[in-house]
Amino acid sequence: MQTHLSAQDDDMWYIITDRPMKIMKANTAVAVTEGIPQMIEKPRSEWTTEDKNKAKLENVARDFLYKNLDKNMFSKIKSCTTTKDIWEKLTQLYENNDQTNENKIMVAIQKFNIMKMKPGETMTEFDERFNNIIIELNALGKIYSNREVALKVMRALPRAWDIKTIAMRKI
């Protein structure tokens, strides 16, 4: 089965990998050279509905990328001004360099191993921090079984939770 991208998909990919789309038109004030008209940016007052939709693609592409990033990764790209900048930063962060990947896995495993509930931290806050580490590990290809995760959570809880964790272990 062959998949075909629509013109809009092609335009969005262009925006992500190359640069924001500029709406252009032929410059009628200049003679055509070698059969190719000189192009100039089209004033907004002359934009068609199709032009307006193309111009919106930068925001659509940026929104798509934002919605598919976790909080940690979003914080690393939030200062980027164009989708191309975001794409380049993500590419840089996710390069498949074996040594870099091994280091990232080691650091994430260490975070997992030393994970403890902080004094005064709510279960919701702890759960969010813990899940971020699990998501990071999964993204790096390190998958823990549900049993390993559950045991780690029980070991990460403070002594005040001992009675509850003992009861959970017996289930």
Side-chain angles (χ1 to χ4, degrees):
M1 184 176 159
Q2 209 172 18
T3 306
H4 296 285
L5 293 174
S6 70
Q8 186 173 12
D9 291 336
D10 285 341
D11 289 343
M12 188 169 320
W13 187 243
Y14 172 83
I15 288 167
I16 291 171
T17 59
D18 292 327
R19 64 181 169 270
M21 180 147 319
K22 290 187 178 184
I23 308 302
M24 306 296 282
K25 72 174 188 171
N27 185 356
T28 54
V30 176
V32 173
T33 310
E34 298 177 19
I36 302 169
Q38 180 189 25
M39 302 300 285
I40 58 170
E41 198 162 343
K42 193 183 220 184
R44 283 184 183 259
S45 61
E46 296 177 19
W47 284 10
T48 64
T49 302
E50 184 180 343
D51 293 336
K52 290 174 186 174
N53 288 338
K54 281 186 177 184
K56 289 178 190 175
L57 284 178
E58 170 75 18
N59 291 335
V60 171
R62 184 182 302 117
D63 189 54
F64 175 80
L65 292 173
Y66 284 168
K67 286 182 178 176
N68 286 285
L69 297 173
D70 62 29
K71 288 179 184 177
N72 181 40
M73 193 53 63
F74 179 78
S75 69
K76 294 176 182 177
I77 59 93
K78 68 182 177 186
S79 63
C80 297
T81 56
T82 68
T83 4
K84 180 178 175 19
D85 294 340
I86 294 169
W87 185 253
E88 287 174 351
K89 183 71 171 184
L90 290 172
T91 302
Q92 177 188 9
L93 292 169
Y94 279 111
E95 281 181 341
N96 284 333
N97 178 320
D98 291 337
Q99 184 63 43
T100 301
N101 205 32
E102 284 180 35
N103 289 342
K104 287 179 181 179
I105 291 171
M106 286 176 33
V107 169
I109 290 171
Q110 186 177 18
K111 285 185 207 172
F112 177 84
N113 289 336
I114 64 170
M115 181 71 172
K116 295 282 186 198
M117 189 174 193
K118 295 176 181 177
E121 185 175 36
T122 67
M123 191 58 172
T124 302
E125 293 165 339
F126 169 74
D127 183 57
E128 185 175 331
R129 275 192 323 114
F130 188 78
N131 281 326
N132 286 338
I133 291 172
I134 295 299
I135 290 166
E136 181 180 356
L137 286 162
N138 288 343
L140 294 168
K142 177 67 175 157
I143 311 294
Y144 286 101
S145 70
N146 288 340
R147 182 178 177 359
E148 290 171 306
V149 170
L151 287 172
K152 178 58 189 167
V153 167
M154 287 186 262
R155 287 192 304 267
L157 296 173
R159 289 220 177 267
W161 289 71
D162 280 355
I163 294 171
K164 293 173 187 170
T165 58
I166 290 169
M168 286 188 279
R169 286 182 186 168
K170 291 183 180 181
I171 295 178

